[in-house]
Amino acid sequence: DTAVSQTPKYLVTQMGNDKSIKCEQNLGHDTMYWYKQDSKKFLKIMFSYNNKELIINETVPNRFSPKSPDKAHLNLHINSLELGDSAVYFCASSLGTGGYTFGSGTRLTVV
Amino acid sequence: QKEVEQNSGPLSVPEGAIASLNCTYSDRVSQSFFWYRQYSGKSPELIMSIYSNGDKEDGRFTAQLNKASQYVSLLIRDSQPSDSATYLCAVIVRGSNYKLTFGKGTLLTVNP
């Protein structure tokens, strides 16, 4: 019973390609997030959706586009991938001011 | 000014000792405070949350919050080698749409 599941776990792709990462949670949480963890292990928020509404949109290139078809799903589409996009991307969910539950991460490598 | 600051370590303690991890935050309207543990190659895992001044204990873990000093700490008693990981301090600021802001983490190594 995975609480927050992301696919794929690993993604290796060439520069210039477009790719998507999917996330689903079965915790009944109302808010979902995308975080990026860089090579120095710093976790930084990218986006947040509450009940399908975008509520946090940090300074992220517009090549990154999140989409939430319902409150249990949050996907991330990335256009024209660049070398600097290589990182681990984590999906997370929460309810109110409670702590987040993170997915297992997607390690993206752009070559 | 960094929002959440932690000593990056590494912090090395012998097995059975108390490990003390510290964190300071800059925003006075921070309302919720968390400690996450992240093993290498894994996702962050919530181990403690604290919302009001004082101590909160859960097993071998104690979180301490001092809002006047803008300081939150995590004590791990009877440290075990399996506690070796990066510990991330995180804060939610009131009015931030529940945005969780992380420190850069402290790497803890417990030596057998």
Side-chain angles (χ1 to χ4, degrees):
Chain A
D1 258 351
T2 306
V4 181
S5 60
Q6 288 179 236
T7 54
K9 195 169 174 62
Y10 299 97
L11 192 49
V12 181
T13 187
Q14 291 187 323
M15 276 195 306
N17 282 352
D18 303 340
K19 291 293 178 186
S20 291
I21 308 171
K22 296 187 175 184
C23 179
E24 176 181 2
Q25 56 96 3
N26 63 4
L27 296 166
H29 289 169
D30 56 4
T31 308
M32 296 184 72
Y33 310 83
W34 281 111
Y35 274 77
K36 179 180 180 180
Q37 188 167 46
D38 60 25
S39 57
K40 295 184 179 178
K41 309 299 183 189
F42 183 50
L43 265 169
K44 191 161 173 25
I45 193 166
M46 300 172 70
F47 302 104
S48 167
Y49 271 78
N50 179 269
N51 284 322
K52 301 193 294 177
E53 181 186 349
L54 180 66
I55 57 170
I56 295 175
N57 185 352
E58 295 288 290
T59 307
V60 175
N62 58 15
R63 299 181 294 104
F64 290 79
S65 51
K67 201 161 285 187
S68 181
D70 56 62
K71 73 173 190 177
H73 296 84
L74 179 62
N75 303 322
L76 183 66
H77 187 76
I78 316 169
N79 288 327
S80 304
L81 278 154
E82 300 177 358
L83 291 176
D85 297 331
S86 296
V88 180
Y89 292 84
F90 286 102
C91 177
S93 69
S94 72
L95 187 66
T97 57
Y100 294 9
T101 301
F102 282 83
S104 57
T106 296
R107 183 174 294 275
L108 172 65
T109 304
V110 183
V111 296
Chain B
Q1 184 181 6
K2 292 179 184 170
E3 295 177 66
V4 181
E5 290 205 53
Q6 297 180 251
N7 187 329
S8 61
L11 173 66
S12 185
V13 300
E15 185 173 355
I18 296 175
S20 178
L21 301 155
N22 304 314
C23 173
T24 58
Y25 59 94
S26 60
D27 200 317
R28 288 199 166 271
V29 293
S30 299
Q31 65 179 122
S32 308
F33 306 86
F34 306 90
W35 284 98
Y36 281 80
R37 176 176 63 199
Q38 187 174 24
Y39 292 113
S40 182
K42 300 294 186 182
S43 59
E45 173 193 8
L46 179 65
I47 54 171
M48 289 290 284
S49 58
I50 187 166
Y51 303 95
S52 54
N53 279 330
D55 294 0
K56 179 181 177 183
E57 188 175 315
D58 184 0
R60 296 185 296 112
F61 298 99
T62 298
Q64 299 174 315
L65 175 61
N66 183 326
K67 289 189 177 181
S69 300
Q70 295 176 238
Y71 177 91
V72 58
S73 65
L74 179 70
L75 299 177
I76 306 175
R77 289 181 300 283
D78 188 23
S79 296
Q80 301 297 308
S82 58
D83 295 326
S84 298
T86 296
Y87 288 80
L88 301 163
C89 174
V91 168
I92 292 178
V93 173
R94 189 174 296 120
S96 70
N97 286 322
Y98 306 128
K99 181 172 81 170
L100 192 60
T101 299
F102 284 87
K104 294 194 172 183
T106 299
L107 178 61
L108 172 67
T109 302
V110 181
N111 301 305

